[in-house]
Amino acid sequence: MIRTEVICVWEIGKFINLIGAASFMCDRTLSIVQMINRLTSQGVIKMLVQSMSSILGKTITLSVLPLSLAMVMANTAHAATVSYIAGNADNFNTSDGLENSTPSAALEQWADQNYAYGASTLFDRSVNDYDDYFVHTFSDLHSNLSNPIVFGELEISLRATNSSMSYNDAINLRFTNPDGTLTPGWGRHIGQGDSTEGLLPTTWSNSQSHTFTFNLANLPLAPGQNPTASNLLPTLNQKGFLDVVVEDDTSIDYIKLTVSDVPEPLTILGSATALGFGALLKRQQSRKQNKS
């Protein structure tokens, strides 16, 4: 009986964690306690225990539940979501001065060496201020996380300057190594009119503004773009930082990077998955009883 209950504890714990991981991309607002309450109130865990009793041919009681949940709590104890904000979300307000970005030394040196006008480290630039590569580095991303990053989201607010050349500006997410070499990342033109398709359906010009939100595991690709560029999470975990580069006739209001490690919440989708799994096991139990 002890061995059977150990199996049940392990399987229930794995099941709950699996649901949390599968549903994490849909809703990150539920805590582990809320997840457990939802599972319990909907009878999912009881159904799972009963189904396992049938499969194992043993009577399993809900006394295994505290151990299973303890296992889940232990696995998610260090789960965290951290947001880093560069610049102020003030709609390009300059009354409080221009905020500074903080590029790594390698990124700033790269911009200075590869662009005639050098790097810009200022947010909220005027629409009449052009020809600077804006650069910023989100560094030490693992410092507040205990586990690998499984979710990353970048929000960036932009405004075109009055330059006639803003139409070909681009957003680049990259990794500038300390020796100045670049590890492949992702980039797209903001608007239409250049050699590759832009993110917006219109030309980027004349003080036009837009706020983009990017899932770093599923970045939008232009036709013909390397598919591996769509997911930056493996490189983000390897490097522990992210460089943001915006060309060069475009002003930036703010940038917000959100990263999460071990997923812990359970969503409505996760609940539906759990119910489906329990129903499947229950049908198996019924078939077994009919055969006997």
Side-chain angles (χ1 to χ4, degrees), residues 154 156 158 168-174 186-190 199 210 212 214 244-247 250:
L154 185 84
I156 183 168
L158 307 175
N168 65 357
D169 284 0
I171 305 171
N172 293 280
L173 306 180
R174 58 178 55 168
W186 170 91
R188 288 286 302 272
H189 285 99
I190 300 170
L199 293 164
H210 192 85
F212 293 96
F214 298 116
V244 180
V245 179
V246 180
E247 308 168 7
T250 292

Side-chain angles (χ1 to χ4, degrees), residues 218-278:
N218 188 27
L219 290 160
L221 299 177
Q225 195 168 2
N226 187 342
T228 61
S230 178
N231 184 4
L232 295 186
L233 292 189
T235 310
L236 197 68
N237 275 303
Q238 178 188 2
K239 301 292 185 180
F241 69 88
L242 178 67
D243 291 332
V244 180
V245 179
V246 180
E247 308 168 7
D248 79 327
D249 300 307
T250 292
S251 178
I252 296 84
D253 184 32
Y254 70 92
I255 317 172
K256 178 181 178 181
L257 175 65
T258 301
V259 291
S260 302
D261 57 4
V262 176
E264 64 167 336
L266 177 67
T267 63
I268 295 174
L269 175 61
S271 299
T273 304
L275 289 169
F277 187 84

